[in-house]
Each structure stands twice: as structure tokens, then as C-alpha cells.
């Protein structure tokens, strides 16, 4: 228990401390309320923190905060671009107009005749408007089938008129069979009132003439075989048609060049290959074979 004198003295001390605390708090409020009041030099701290990261800076940085901040400083080009073209592009002048093509020359009458005969199966050779020996063989065959005078002569006005005015290929008047015209040196394969094939042939030469005869196919020899009369003379797909002249046949030769534009065989009838192969396959035993005309 305090004595009375000590109690009075202690109360006075508490009152004095309260007064001093009130004065101190009142002074802090004035500084915050009037920031423009000049600060006395005596109130300036004698030392300045050496680092901004003192007690005001957190000791640890959240992991979600990026450690670096992108610079916002704009980059200004140091100079204008120097890539301007040194010269203007070259403009090509427009292409000059092409000169008009000359009008196509009308096809010659000889060419028109060859085209038509070739489309009908007459063997003219090259369709070029040149009436060669081969074309004359075809023309000779047309004359025969169209009922005109038969010859291997050059193209005539009558031929041109007949061929170009015709609307259809001539129809044979002969029965089914094989017919060899020695004047034209052509073979007709007639099947059921139709010229199935018209092909070049070469008949027997001087001293070996192919006889003008009518016979029937009595023997067929497929493929190649050597002639029984002439050594080293090979015959292909032979059709024998005269029993009393057993060595005479229609056949292919080793090369087509042996089928001449004139009589050149040893009595047989040389036929182009592969035409003879096709004729051989389509001709049964007993088919009529007729040889006629004169070269």
C-alpha cells in the first residue's frame, strides 16, 4: 500500500506524462495536414538510407511478378531507308501485231483424189498429191471397179470427175474369192459383195509369167518355208491354187521390197505382208482364185 505522499507524487507524474503525449500527437497531426510548411534544418535526418530497398521493400517477391520489365523506350530509325530503286523499270514495248497468214492454198485435185481413194481402201501410198507408180496402181484398180477403161496411165479429167463425184465405194460384181489383175498389179479380196482388201502384188517376170488361170485353194502352208524350186527363196503364208502347177502360190516374201511395181517373181504372186497373213487366215480351202490381165 502506498503512502499518501507517494500517491500524490505519482498522480502528478502521470498527469505530466499525459500532457506531454498530447502535445507530441498534436504536432504529428499538424505536419501531415500542412505539407507545404518548411521544414526546419534541425528536423532533417542526419543520415540518408544508402539503398532504396530498406525496410520499405518486401523481403521476398511474389513468384507471379515478372523479374524483368520490358523497356518502353521507342526505337527511332537512325536514318531514312536507302533502298530506293536506282533506275526506273524498263517497260517492254507491246508485241507488234503478227502479219496475217496467207490464205491456205486449195488442195489440188490430185490430192483430193488420193484422199478419197485412200479412205476407200485403195492403196495409193503417201497421200501427198503426187501420182506415183504406187498411186497409179490404186488408180488402175479404181478404174476397173468403177467400170472405166483399165490402165496404169496418169490421172485424167475423167478420173477426177468420177472419183470426186462418187458418193460411195464401188461394189464388186464378182463372187467371193481372190482376184489378181496383172495389168494393175493388184489383188482384190472379195467377201460377200464387198472389197475387203485391195493390195499391191508382183506377178511373174519375163520368162516366168504367172499363167492366167482360175483355180481353187487346195493347200495352205502357214508361216515361212523354203521354195521347192528355188534355193534360198522363202515363202510366207502360202496359198496354192493350181493342182497341175503345184509350185505356184500366193505368198508373202522375206521383205516387202520384193513386191515390185512391175512383174518380178518366178510365176508366183508376191503379196505384201502383213496383208497376206490376214488373207491367209480368212481364206478357207476351196476358195476361188483367178488370175487375169496383162502387164
Amino acid at each position: 500500500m502506498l503512502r499518501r505522499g507517494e500517491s500524490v507524487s505519482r498522480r502528478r507524474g502521470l498527469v505530466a506524462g499525459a500532457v506531454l503525449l498530447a502535445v507530441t500527437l498534436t504536432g504529428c497531426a499538424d505536419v501531415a495536414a500542412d505539407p507545404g510548411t518548411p521544414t526546419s534544418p534541425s528536423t532533417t535526418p542526419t543520415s540518408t538510407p544508402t539503398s532504396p530497398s530498406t525496410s520499405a521493400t518486401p523481403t521476398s517477391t511474389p513468384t507471379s511478378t515478372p523479374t524483368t520489365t520490358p523497356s518502353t523506350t521507342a526505337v527511332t530509325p537512325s536514318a531514312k531507308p536507302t533502298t530506293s530503286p536506282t533506275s526506273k523499270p524498263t517497260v517492254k514495248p507491246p508485241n507488234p501485231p503478227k502479219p496475217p497468214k496467207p490464205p491456205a492454198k486449195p488442195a489440188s485435185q490430185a490430192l483430193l483424189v488420193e484422199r478419197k481413194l485412200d479412205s476407200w481402201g485403195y492403196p495409193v501410198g503417201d497421200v501427198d498429191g503426187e501420182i506415183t507408180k504406187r498411186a497409179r496402181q490404186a488408180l488402175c484398180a479404181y478404174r476397173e471397179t468403177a467400170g472405166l477403161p483399165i490402165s496404169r496411165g496418169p490421172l485424167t479429167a475423167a478420173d477426177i470427175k468420177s472419183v470426186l463425184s462418187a458418193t460411195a465405194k464401188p461394189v464388186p460384181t464378182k463372187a467371193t474369192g481372190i482376184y489378181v489383175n496383172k495389168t494393175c498389179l493388184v489383188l482384190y479380196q472379195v467377201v460377200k459383195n464387198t472389197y475387203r482388201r485391195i493390195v499391191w502384188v508382183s506377178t511373174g517376170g519375163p520368162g516366168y509369167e504367172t499363167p492366167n488361170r482360175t483355180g481353187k485353194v487346195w493347200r495352205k502352208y502357214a508361216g515361212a518355208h523354203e521354195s521347192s524350186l528355188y534355193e534360198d527363196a522363202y515363202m510366207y503364208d502360202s496359198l496354192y491354187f493350181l493342182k497341175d502347177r503345184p509350185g505356184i502360190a500366193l505368198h508373202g516374201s522375206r521383205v516387202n521390197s520384193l513386191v515390185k511395181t512391175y512383174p518380178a517373181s518366178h510365176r508366183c504372186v508376191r503379196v505384201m505382208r502383213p496383208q497376206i497373213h490376214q488373207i491367209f487366215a480368212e481364206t478357207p480351202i476351196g476358195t476361188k482364185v483367178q488370175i487375169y490381165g496383162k502387164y
Side-chain angles (χ1 to χ4, degrees):
M1 171 179 243
L2 297 176
R3 294 188 180 95
R4 181 176 182 184
E6 291 176 349
S7 176
V8 172
S9 178
R10 187 172 182 180
R11 288 177 182 174
R12 288 177 181 177
L14 290 174
V15 171
V19 172
L20 180 60
L21 178 61
V23 172
T24 302
L25 293 175
T26 302
C28 292
D30 290 345
V31 171
D34 188 10
T37 303
T39 304
S40 171
S42 62
T43 61
T44 303
T46 57
S47 63
T48 303
T50 58
S51 172
S53 58
T54 55
S55 61
T57 304
T59 58
S60 63
T61 304
T63 57
S64 60
T65 303
T67 57
T68 59
T69 303
S71 173
T72 57
T73 305
V75 178
T76 304
S78 60
K80 294 182 179 180
T82 58
T83 57
S84 58
T86 57
S87 62
K88 294 182 179 179
T90 303
V91 179
K92 293 183 179 180
N95 294 328
K98 295 181 180 180
K101 294 182 179 180
K105 294 181 179 180
S108 67
Q109 291 181 320
L111 179 58
L112 294 176
V113 168
E114 283 189 333
R115 286 176 179 172
K116 199 161 188 179
L117 292 180
D118 182 71
S119 68
W120 282 343
Y122 293 88
V124 299
D126 295 331
V127 181
D128 55 7
E130 296 291 333
I131 305 300
T132 61
K133 290 182 179 180
R134 290 300 191 192
R136 287 190 183 191
Q137 287 179 255
L139 188 58
C140 181
Y142 173 78
R143 289 167 179 156
E144 179 182 11
T145 58
L148 300 176
I150 302 172
S151 76
R152 297 186 312 278
L155 183 67
T156 66
D159 299 325
I160 295 170
K161 181 179 179 180
S162 177
V163 173
L164 298 185
S165 63
T167 58
K169 180 180 179 179
V171 177
T173 58
K174 300 174 180 180
T176 296
I178 296 174
Y179 301 86
V180 176
N181 184 331
K182 294 195 302 184
T183 304
C184 302
L185 290 178
V186 294
L187 178 153
Y188 306 99
Q189 182 187 9
V190 178
V191 179
K192 296 181 180 180
N193 298 323
T194 302
Y195 289 110
R196 178 168 291 182
R197 289 183 183 83
I198 303 174
V199 301
W200 299 319
V201 299
S202 180
T203 54
Y208 299 94
E209 291 83 359
T210 305
N212 288 355
R213 296 276 302 274
T214 299
K216 292 183 179 181
V217 176
W218 62 274
R219 182 189 179 195
K220 297 175 66 173
Y221 202 119
H225 70 282
E226 189 174 4
S227 170
S228 59
L229 299 176
Y230 302 98
E231 185 179 357
D232 202 31
Y234 284 86
M235 306 161 68
Y236 293 78
D237 296 324
S238 303
L239 296 169
Y240 294 90
F241 59 94
L242 294 175
K243 281 192 175 182
D244 60 337
R245 304 290 297 272
I248 298 177
L250 307 168
H251 66 82
S253 298
R254 181 177 294 173
V255 291
N256 281 337
S257 60
L258 292 175
V259 183
K260 306 293 186 181
T261 57
Y262 52 86
S265 76
H266 294 88
R267 293 189 178 90
C268 286
V269 179
R270 296 174 181 171
V271 186
M272 288 283 187
R273 298 166 59 192
Q275 287 92 333
I276 188 59
H277 182 72
Q278 296 167 329
I279 293 170
F280 181 92
E282 298 168 357
T283 302
I285 296 291
T287 299
K288 179 182 177 179
V289 178
Q290 184 178 10
I291 312 295
Y292 60 96
K294 183 179 181 181
Y295 184 80

